[in-house]
Amino acid sequence: MNRDALPKAYEFQDVEGRWVTYWVEHQCFRADSGAAKPPFSIVIPPPNVTGQLHMGHALNNTLQDILCRYKRLKGFEVLWVPGTDHAGIATQNVVERHIAKDGLTRHDLGREKFLEKVWEWKETYGDYIIRQLKRLGASCDWTRERFTMDEGLSRAVRLVFVKLYEEGLIYRGQRMINWCPRCMTALANIEVEGEEIGGRLYHIRYPLADGSGAVTVATTRPETMLGDTAVAVHPDDSRYRHVIGKTVILPLVNRPIPVIADPYVDREFGTGALKITPGHDFNDFEIGRKHGLEVIQVIGEDGVMTAQAGPYRGLDRYECRKRVTAHLEKGGYLAAVQDHVHRVGHCYRCKNAVEPMLSLQWFVRTRPLADLAMEAVRDGRTRIIPQKWEKDYFQWLENIEDWCISRQIWWGHRIPAWYCADCHGMTVALEDPTACGSCGGTHLEQENDVLDTWFSSALWPFTTMGWPEKTPELRKFYPTSVLVTGFDILFFWVARMMMMGLHFMKDVPFRDVYVHALVRDAQGQKMSKSKGNVIDPLVMMDRYGTDALRFTLTAFAAQGRDIKLSEERIEGYRHFVNKIWNASRLVLMNIEGATLLERIPDQPQRLAHRWILSRFQSVLDEVESALENYHFNQYAQSLYQFFWHEYCDWYLEVIKPDLYGEDPDAKVLAQTIATTLLKNLLILLHPVMPFVTEELTQRLPGSAESLVRASFPEKEPWRSDPEAEKDMGLLMDVITGMRTIRGEMNIAPGVRLKAVCLCRSAAEKDLLEANRQMLVDLARLETVTVGLHGEMPKPRLAAATVSGGVEAYVLLEGVLDVDSEAKRLDKEIGKLQKELEGTRKKLSNEDFLKRAPMDVVEKEREKAERLAEKLGKLRANRDRVEALVREAAQNA
């Protein structure tokens, strides 16, 4: 325990590094699967192995850490499993860019050599984000760190694949999939991000073969017409009934294709006639299958036109669009071109536009798995919090399609399927086969494709605990207690973990799913490098300390609301960290050499003691309720309010005369209560502010070796005292009212004032009389006279404030030159009024509103609101002073 004198300032850089080292070296967060304590477990959403801590990570892991540290304090055996994800496409892209600096591609190296490069990259940079999570204060069990491609997890992934294949839930087949021409791999539907972009709608004439006219179709992708195999119209569309069954000639290609009728066609879109390209559109593929149409692939996997595109072969798809459009116009086939906003799918990794394509891929048959995942939420085995996300969860699972799990990349879990060159049979096996399972031949070649990253991630809650072995960890900690995650991976990850957990473990993977919102900038915009509004958590930790960042994120983490973050807010909560430090320093200085009471009396005589002890019982309830129900912002705000505005601003100020006085009994009681409360408040703050609380706790007498091993303060219901809270509340209101008058009247803090308090009841009079010294000390009074209404006249030339049944008058005669104060206020009001008019004029200027960035406009609006509020207060003060001027004139 560090008993050295507490430095004047909190140097977080030294403290944070020291405690991270201590916690890790002493394995403070190691979970004991044999412990008798009740279990609480979380598996970390594994960040990418090449990742860097961003604000989403900081929020997510802060919230997880709060829960873990809180549950340890409550006596639970806590397991928080850390780890990283191999992140197939993302990591492969990073390494490909790395070797490209040397002029190499992965194909130049070959699969084996390239994978060696990826593993080298992983060994060099793989623990980078883990180090950052430790710096954030994450209390994971670092002895159990896992990686989605470590040996144990890899074997589990292969076993799951084989079992699902044998059960008929994994199959290989030709289906329409989303293809990324940049990453050169298939993507699952939810890996495609739809984006509204400005494009064009091209109206193209398809001449009827019999020369009787033409059918005009509308399309956003004229290059795909080279693969058209029909034109479709709605069977009830009177405009086209006469052409159904006829043939049109495909322009530029001169291939005859039929005109078919299908109810899928939207009669209101474009011309009401739809070109059908089964090889490059999901809906067209289904229509083509229904009508037995040929599938022609005119765009290749690399985004370049294929031989099927005829004279356009070898052109990039966008260059082909330009050529086709020009040739259509030249040939008289282009009827019109309109501007058109439409939704285009983009790869979630590289952001390039995806290409729908018919491809031979591996799929998971998800319907039976999805039904179980929905049932588990409906019957309450798993709760989704906030509940509003249940609707999205059910909607996606109800409309789920089979999951394309094969990826045409090299980094990842290679699919355990082997093809026989002798009989062309396929063998799927847990161990590498030496012979074909069908013919016994030995000429086998393994599938080149790897599994989707999310396939291994879907197994994370149980494979990280040693499945398929029946480990002590699984028996103790599965199902996990809660998953803390962002809504953006509700389908990518959460739903798939539910499906796999229920199928293989016969139980849900987690009891609760807490879905947190996004961290946005101060104007509510999504952070992005292109906007230049990214707030880097590492920079903020360097600048203001980790505790300040963690507390800021927590204080704004309201359920269902995005966090609007600014550096100013983080700086503001750095002041709170300093407040905690300074208050602790005050207490420590005043207990040096003291022998504290072993126990606080049940009902201390002094009102301030009874009040603060009663209020602390309420705070205990608030903290426990907030954390049990995932109201993180309420937890933070409750402690902020109590520590700063009640414990520091009131209680420590009230007891200073006892701490510095000569009454030994009063002194030791004040010392004991102040120290006990401080110790307990540091425990309550520890989950969100682990560093400063740990450092301060070591200076307090009788503290645990580490707060990690401390216990949540026990409730003492007998200390609840509503009467004391009511009485103290009245005194605080009276003092605050007199302080407000001092501030509004611009009276210097050093000037001692006289006051008169008129009470409506004898009980109020007795209360104020008993606490006269508190009024004098905290309101900085020279004297205070207390009486009943009717017994004393209302004083002249005084500013009044009303609190409950007490009218408090601050005497201003000889203290305030009311004429000078009126002139000062008039001048200040005039200045503010001019500034407000200028701001409002700017906000009414349409040109400014159109040209100025959104954040600039928002700042001007906030400025106008602040000025208007301040102006209102000044005018109210001016009215009060004017009344005093009139009163002074009457008394003259």
Side-chain angles (χ1 to χ4, degrees):
M1 183 179 293
N2 188 348
R3 291 292 190 181
D4 296 339
L6 197 64
K8 284 186 178 181
Y10 175 48
E11 301 296 338
F12 61 82
Q13 296 91 340
D14 170 59
V15 169
E16 291 175 8
R18 184 156 32 82
W19 280 111
V20 167
T21 302
Y22 177 89
W23 291 330
V24 173
E25 286 183 353
H26 289 78
Q27 297 186 5
C28 289
F29 312 129
R30 184 166 188 170
D32 180 1
S33 54
K37 290 191 269 184
F40 180 86
S41 56
I42 293 181
V43 290
I44 200 170
N48 290 356
V49 72
T50 58
Q52 177 169 319
L53 191 74
H54 57 63
M55 205 55 85
H57 288 133
L59 170 65
N60 181 273
N61 287 282
T62 293
L63 300 184
Q64 290 177 84
D65 192 48
I66 288 171
L67 293 174
C68 289
R69 290 180 185 268
Y70 164 67
K71 287 296 183 177
R72 287 191 192 95
L73 294 172
K74 292 292 286 182
F76 286 74
E77 190 64 28
V78 175
L79 171 62
W80 183 9
V81 179
T84 50
D85 193 290
H86 66 279
I89 296 174
T91 304
Q92 178 159 311
N93 284 348
V94 168
V95 178
E96 284 192 89
R97 286 197 295 271
H98 180 66
I99 63 174
K101 294 174 183 176
D102 296 325
L104 296 171
T105 69
R106 63 180 167 119
H107 299 286
D108 293 331
L109 295 176
R111 186 173 194 136
E112 189 175 332
K113 289 288 185 186
F114 176 75
L115 289 178
E116 286 177 9
K117 289 284 185 185
V118 183
W119 278 108
E120 285 173 14
W121 180 275
K122 188 265 176 188
E123 292 305 314
T124 304
Y125 299 101
D127 66 343
Y128 185 55
I129 197 167
I130 293 295
R131 294 199 302 271
Q132 293 173 343
L133 289 172
K134 288 177 181 176
R135 185 183 170 195
L136 185 68
S139 60
C140 299
D141 183 345
W142 299 109
T143 67
R144 286 182 166 94
E145 185 183 336
R146 303 306 299 266
F147 174 52
T148 50
M149 282 181 63
D150 66 29
E151 187 176 345
L153 267 67
S154 293
R155 183 163 181 80
V157 168
R158 183 179 279 202
L159 178 60
V160 165
F161 184 94
V162 172
K163 281 183 173 290
L164 291 175
Y165 178 79
E166 290 172 348
E167 293 167 5
L169 291 173
I170 281 183
Y171 65 93
R172 187 173 185 244
Q174 283 266 4
R175 289 189 54 177
M176 285 295 292
I177 51 94
N178 290 291
W179 182 269
C180 176
R182 159 62 185 80
C183 298
M184 290 290 283
T185 184
L187 300 172
N189 289 347
I190 57 172
E191 293 175 321
V192 177
E193 297 175 342
E195 182 184 348
E196 298 286 341
I197 64 170
R200 289 183 171 82
L201 191 62
Y202 301 85
H203 294 247
I204 307 170
R205 293 190 188 94
Y206 285 35
L208 286 159
D210 61 8
S212 62
V215 177
T216 301
V217 303
T219 180
T220 58
R221 304 188 66 201
E223 70 278 8
T224 63
M225 67 168 287
L226 304 171
D228 285 358
T229 51
V231 170
V233 297
H234 196 281
D236 300 328
D237 193 333
S238 58
R239 294 173 295 175
Y240 296 115
R241 280 189 191 137
H242 67 289
V243 298
I244 295 173
K246 288 190 174 185
T247 299
V248 293
I249 302 299
L250 186 61
L252 308 183
V253 180
N254 296 322
R255 185 174 67 245
I257 57 175
V259 179
I260 60 175
D262 195 284
Y264 169 79
V265 178
D266 181 359
R267 285 177 281 183
E268 305 303 318
F269 178 76
T271 63
L274 182 69
K275 59 187 281 306
I276 303 299
T277 319
H280 294 285
D281 185 275
F282 285 92
N283 297 315
D284 289 8
F285 177 77
E286 293 303 323
I287 293 171
R289 187 162 61 175
K290 190 196 312 185
H291 293 272
L293 301 176
E294 183 184 1
V295 177
I296 300 174
Q297 185 176 335
V298 294
I299 301 175
E301 294 178 349
D302 55 0
V304 172
M305 306 308 289
T306 69
Q308 298 271 39
Y312 303 96
R313 175 183 183 176
L315 290 176
D316 172 80
R317 52 184 170 161
Y318 296 117
E319 179 60 30
C320 181
R321 180 179 299 179
K322 294 176 186 175
R323 297 270 186 97
V324 164
T325 303
H327 293 164
L328 288 171
E329 186 172 23
K330 186 176 181 181
Y333 299 112
L334 195 60
V337 180
Q338 301 170 332
D339 288 337
H340 177 67
V341 176
H342 62 131
R343 198 167 186 80
V344 176
H346 290 77
C347 173
Y348 80 119
R349 285 298 181 193
C350 72
K351 310 305 178 187
N352 276 265
V354 300
E355 194 63 50
M357 197 171 290
L358 188 64
S359 182
L360 183 62
Q361 300 287 342
W362 290 88
F363 297 88
V364 173
R365 210 180 301 277
T366 50
R367 181 75 273 151
L369 301 172
D371 289 341
L372 292 175
M374 285 189 288
E375 183 185 341
V377 173
R378 288 196 176 106
D379 65 22
R381 279 176 288 160
T382 291
R383 297 188 305 161
I384 298 178
I385 303 156
Q387 194 175 8
K388 69 170 189 171
W389 291 109
E390 282 187 9
K391 181 181 176 183
D392 298 72
Y393 175 83
F394 288 133
Q395 188 174 35
W396 184 71
L397 287 174
E398 284 163 359
N399 298 287
I400 197 169
E401 297 178 1
D402 285 357
W403 173 15
C404 177
I405 56 171
S406 46
R407 298 291 180 269
Q408 289 65 53
I409 58 176
W410 292 347
W411 174 243
H413 296 280
R414 196 167 177 181
I415 291 174
W418 286 261
Y419 304 107
C420 178
D422 299 326
C423 71
H424 305 293
M426 181 173 68
T427 302
V428 172
L430 184 59
E431 304 294 343
D432 291 8
T434 56
C436 174
S438 300
C439 71
T442 58
H443 299 98
L444 300 177
E445 185 176 345
Q446 188 176 355
E447 168 69 77
N448 280 313
D449 292 355
V450 301
L451 288 166
D452 176 12
T453 296
W454 298 102
F455 187 90
S456 51
S457 297
L459 318 176
W460 188 249
F462 53 94
T463 55
T464 52
M465 294 188 195
W467 186 91
E469 303 300 323
K470 294 179 180 178
T471 63
E473 285 81 4
L474 280 171
R475 284 194 295 272
K476 177 80 174 177
F477 295 110
Y478 189 93
T480 62
S481 306
V482 60
L483 176 77
V484 179
T485 186
F487 66 84
D488 52 333
I489 54 174
L490 192 60
F491 314 126
F492 278 105
W493 193 41
V494 179
R496 287 166 172 171
M497 283 190 288
M498 287 288 284
M499 291 190 283
M500 293 299 189
L502 285 162
H503 188 75
F504 286 98
M505 296 298 295
K506 308 306 176 190
D507 202 349
V508 294
F510 19 73
R511 297 301 182 199
D512 288 346
V513 177
Y514 177 74
V515 182
H516 62 73
L518 286 176
V519 184
R520 298 182 179 272
D521 70 8
Q523 283 69 49
Q525 297 183 88
K526 191 172 181 179
M527 291 186 190
S528 71
K529 290 179 181 178
S530 60
K531 290 179 182 175
N533 63 347
V534 172
I535 302 175
D536 187 333
L538 299 169
V539 173
M540 294 300 101
M541 288 191 284
D542 284 340
R543 198 167 287 166
Y544 303 110
T546 300
D547 287 328
L549 173 66
R550 286 172 56 120
F551 197 89
T552 308
L553 291 169
T554 307
F556 289 96
Q559 283 188 15
R561 284 211 309 267
D562 287 344
I563 293 173
K564 292 183 179 180
L565 187 66
S566 67
E567 184 171 347
E568 290 75 19
R569 285 177 168 167
I570 300 168
E571 183 179 15
Y573 283 117
R574 168 69 202 277
H575 299 321
F576 182 44
V577 179
N578 290 338
K579 186 76 172 180
I580 295 168
W581 185 264
N582 292 333
S584 302
R585 191 166 179 271
L586 172 69
V587 172
L588 286 165
M589 287 168 60
N590 278 281
I591 64 171
E592 191 173 343
T595 302
L596 303 180
L597 299 175
E598 290 185 9
R599 189 179 181 281
I600 299 170
D602 286 351
Q603 287 295 320
Q605 185 176 358
R606 188 165 185 187
L607 171 63
H609 294 329
R610 297 198 309 278
W611 162 72
I612 198 71
L613 291 170
S614 178
R615 281 291 302 124
F616 182 70
Q617 294 307 304
S618 300
V619 169
L620 272 181
D621 287 336
E622 290 166 16
V623 166
E624 194 164 3
S625 174
L627 291 181
E628 292 293 342
N629 294 288
Y630 306 106
H631 293 297
F632 295 97
N633 62 315
Q634 292 176 16
Y635 156 67
Q637 293 298 343
S638 178
L639 285 173
Y640 179 90
Q641 169 67 28
F642 182 78
F643 193 100
W644 192 313
H645 298 298
E646 294 181 71
Y647 179 71
C648 292
D649 288 354
W650 288 101
Y651 182 68
L652 292 182
E653 293 300 317
V654 169
I655 66 169
K656 276 181 179 177
D658 290 346
L659 294 174
Y660 302 137
E662 299 302 320
D663 183 339
D665 292 337
K667 176 180 282 193
V668 74
L669 180 58
Q671 289 173 327
T672 301
I673 294 175
T675 305
T676 302
L677 283 170
L678 176 60
K679 185 185 298 184
N680 286 333
L681 284 168
L682 292 175
I683 291 172
L684 296 185
L685 283 162
H686 178 68
V688 64
M689 290 179 157
F691 295 107
V692 70
T693 55
E694 188 77 276
E695 182 71 9
L696 289 169
T697 297
Q698 303 314 307
R699 315 300 181 108
L700 292 173
S703 296
E705 178 187 349
S706 167
L707 276 177
V708 175
R709 298 182 175 92
S711 297
F712 196 81
E714 291 186 16
K715 291 180 183 175
E716 299 175 321
W718 62 88
R719 297 204 185 280
S720 182
D721 192 337
E723 194 65 29
E725 292 190 37
K726 178 177 169 240
D727 288 347
M728 189 67 183
L730 177 60
L731 289 170
M732 290 160 66
D733 284 348
V734 171
I735 293 166
T736 300
M738 290 192 283
R739 286 172 168 175
T740 301
I741 290 171
R742 178 188 291 274
E744 289 177 348
M745 296 300 178
N746 203 31
I747 300 170
V751 175
R752 290 279 179 171
L753 301 171
K754 295 179 181 178
V756 173
C757 294
L758 300 182
C759 308
R760 295 197 178 276
S761 70
E764 289 172 336
K765 181 174 181 287
D766 291 344
L767 175 67
L768 266 62
E769 288 281 15
N771 292 278
R772 176 188 297 274
Q773 195 58 45
M774 186 194 301
L775 296 174
V776 169
D777 291 343
L778 299 187
R780 300 188 66 78
L781 303 176
E782 182 181 337
T783 61
V784 59
T785 305
V786 181
L788 291 170
H789 278 281
E791 289 185 354
M792 296 173 59
K794 293 181 179 179
R796 296 176 178 178
L797 202 61
T801 178
V802 179
S803 304
V806 178
E807 288 182 16
Y809 294 88
V810 175
L811 309 186
L812 299 174
E813 191 169 5
V815 174
L816 181 70
D817 183 338
V818 289
D819 289 321
S820 297
E821 180 62 11
K823 289 175 183 175
R824 185 190 73 81
L825 287 170
D826 284 338
K827 185 177 180 181
E828 187 70 18
I829 287 168
K831 180 182 174 184
L832 273 180
Q833 200 163 349
K834 187 175 180 182
E835 191 175 356
L836 179 59
E837 286 171 2
T839 304
R840 284 177 172 168
K841 186 176 180 181
K842 187 184 287 187
L843 287 170
S844 64
N845 185 327
E846 290 295 328
D847 190 51
F848 168 74
L849 294 176
K850 285 179 184 177
R851 292 175 179 271
M854 190 185 299
D855 61 325
V856 172
V857 174
E858 191 60 34
K859 282 180 181 176
E860 287 297 314
R861 288 198 178 108
E862 289 174 1
K863 180 182 175 183
E865 288 174 10
R866 285 197 309 271
L867 290 171
E869 184 182 359
K870 189 174 181 181
L871 193 58
K873 288 180 179 178
L874 284 175
R875 282 172 173 160
N877 290 348
R878 179 65 178 82
D879 291 343
R880 180 184 282 183
V881 170
E882 191 173 344
L884 292 171
V885 170
R886 288 196 301 268
E887 185 180 341
Q890 290 170 5
N891 295 331

